[in-house]
Amino acid sequence: MKHIALFILMFAGLISQLNAQPIQEARIQFAAGTSGTSLDGQIKGTEIVDYLIGAAAGQRLKIDFSTDNLSAYFNLLPDSDPTALHIGSVSGNSYDGTLLRSGDYRIRVYLMRNAARRGEVANYTIALSIDGDPAPSDLARSNEGTKDPDYADGLSGGPDWWQVTGVPEGDHLNVRAGPGTGNEVVGRLYNGDRITNLGCQMSGATKWCQIGRADRAAIGWASGRYLEEAPAPGANNATGIIPCAMTIDQPTGSCSFRVSRGTGGTASVWISLPNGGERYLDFREGELVGSDPGMAFGQNRQGDLNMINIGAGERYEIPDAVIYGG
């Protein structure tokens, strides 16, 4: 594959006052008339770089990652989902797969913990391509002239489970008594929440889906714009309560959380904040490697307890069991 022009808009991360590196982001755009590119980069120590690339369901994504440091890898994640499609340290430094959803995908480049702690440097090259036409449902949506995709495909059948996605940060998705915004609000959902699919229908130009609990008891209707297919919750997904505080001088209280776990201490944790928002924490091999963009973070261990500091004064106490399970 030929090397072609690459246009990347870099968002510089803040250097953490707690000696932790924020994740830097770079958006990848292919040159007009091409379907692939190759790019070179370098990371050092705890630096992490996320490359964002947009693609459509039904297209084939190929990634080849080469590096001069055997401890450097990449993971592939759907942008709104912490569950990795590919973990380089487990599955190797190549990916070739057909995408099941439309939107951004995140290619995360990092050094394994021991190499990161030694401050090692990794030079790398990423060659990637996107081939094939979008799935028919995506073509149909593009013809509707809507700016945003309608993820809940079809009015009958479909997946057993939906996952909420695309809700703006700090906001929530209303659950209504019927299909349409004129119906009473009977509940609310947040990004990552999973509900059962009880069927969809149109209300005007908007698709609405009836949703239910795990026992398929109906709880209301939600806009299909914010629903996408998801697997059933399993042992690697859990909820609970952890000690927390929002300022330095605030006594420790309680915050609810939900976690999605991978293997070997890989976990994404969402903590519900008193103001109604959420704080995101990303762990790899039990180590905190990222939080919400622009947030400084730090981690200290006390036995099997992880003392997490975020920003100017947020504090969280997260047991190893939350990260590893058990």
Side-chain angles (χ1 to χ4, degrees):
M1 181 176 59
K2 295 182 178 180
H3 287 230
I4 61 176
L6 173 68
F7 303 97
I8 301 179
L9 178 61
M10 295 296 294
F11 299 95
L14 298 177
I15 301 299
S16 170
Q17 62 187 10
L18 300 173
N19 296 321
Q21 285 281 358
I23 297 175
Q24 300 181 50
E25 289 187 356
R27 178 163 291 279
I28 300 173
Q29 296 177 336
F30 296 157
T34 65
S35 61
T37 191
S38 180
L39 61 101
D40 298 318
Q42 182 187 85
I43 55 173
K44 179 180 180 180
T46 58
E47 292 178 346
I48 300 172
V49 179
D50 279 3
Y51 295 96
L52 298 177
I53 181 72
Q59 292 186 309
R60 183 178 182 182
L61 174 62
K62 296 180 181 179
I63 304 172
D64 288 308
F65 179 83
S66 57
T67 178
D68 59 3
N69 191 316
L70 296 179
S71 294
Y73 293 97
F74 81 94
N75 292 352
L76 177 65
L77 306 93
D79 190 35
S80 60
D81 189 336
T83 305
L85 298 175
H86 176 90
I87 299 176
S89 60
V90 176
S91 303
N93 277 333
S94 294
Y95 173 83
D96 185 347
T98 299
L99 304 176
L100 300 179
R101 52 186 277 181
S102 298
D104 278 343
Y105 286 80
R106 188 176 295 268
I107 303 169
R108 175 164 295 173
V109 180
Y110 61 92
L111 279 163
M112 297 296 285
R113 180 176 60 183
N114 290 340
R117 287 178 171 175
R118 290 192 295 266
E120 294 184 11
V121 173
N123 298 290
Y124 59 86
T125 298
I126 301 176
L128 69 154
S129 63
I130 299 177
D131 301 306
D133 295 325
S137 58
D138 287 298
L139 294 176
R141 287 198 295 270
S142 67
N143 291 333
E144 293 173 0
T146 56
K147 178 180 179 181
D148 297 316
D150 186 352
Y151 288 111
D153 297 325
L155 297 179
S156 62
D160 291 330
W161 288 85
W162 295 128
Q163 178 170 287
V164 178
T165 187
V167 177
E169 183 178 357
D171 204 350
H172 62 269
L173 175 63
N174 284 328
V175 179
R176 297 185 179 272
T181 56
N183 292 282
E184 178 186 2
V185 175
V186 296
R188 59 178 58 181
L189 297 169
Y190 297 88
N191 284 331
D193 286 345
R194 297 190 188 187
I195 57 272
T196 55
N197 170 29
L198 303 180
C200 301
Q201 68 181 60
M202 298 300 295
S203 176
T206 303
K207 188 174 297 179
W208 288 80
C209 298
Q210 189 177 30
I211 57 177
R213 300 192 299 262
D215 60 3
R216 301 189 67 78
I219 59 175
W221 294 76
S223 170
R225 163 64 183 87
Y226 299 99
L227 304 176
E228 65 178 8
E229 182 176 355
N236 286 334
N237 297 275
T239 60
I241 301 293
I242 58 170
C244 65
M246 296 298 103
T247 61
I248 294 176
D249 56 354
Q250 182 184 43
T252 301
S254 297
C255 291
S256 61
F257 74 88
R258 54 192 174 90
V259 59
S260 178
R261 304 186 188 101
T263 58
T266 297
S268 293
V269 180
W270 293 264
I271 302 171
S272 297
L273 303 178
N275 64 6
E278 282 190 320
R279 177 67 62 235
Y280 172 70
L281 303 177
D282 186 16
F283 291 88
R284 186 175 67 245
E285 294 187 334
E287 297 293 323
L288 181 63
V289 296
S291 183
D292 295 290
M295 299 296 294
F297 58 87
Q299 175 183 13
N300 292 303
R301 291 185 56 84
Q302 297 182 8
D304 62 354
L305 195 63
N306 298 274
M307 312 299 291
I308 305 298
N309 299 283
I310 302 293
E314 294 179 25
R315 308 191 310 277
Y316 305 99
E317 300 178 13
I318 301 180
D320 280 346
V322 170
I323 302 170
Y324 292 91

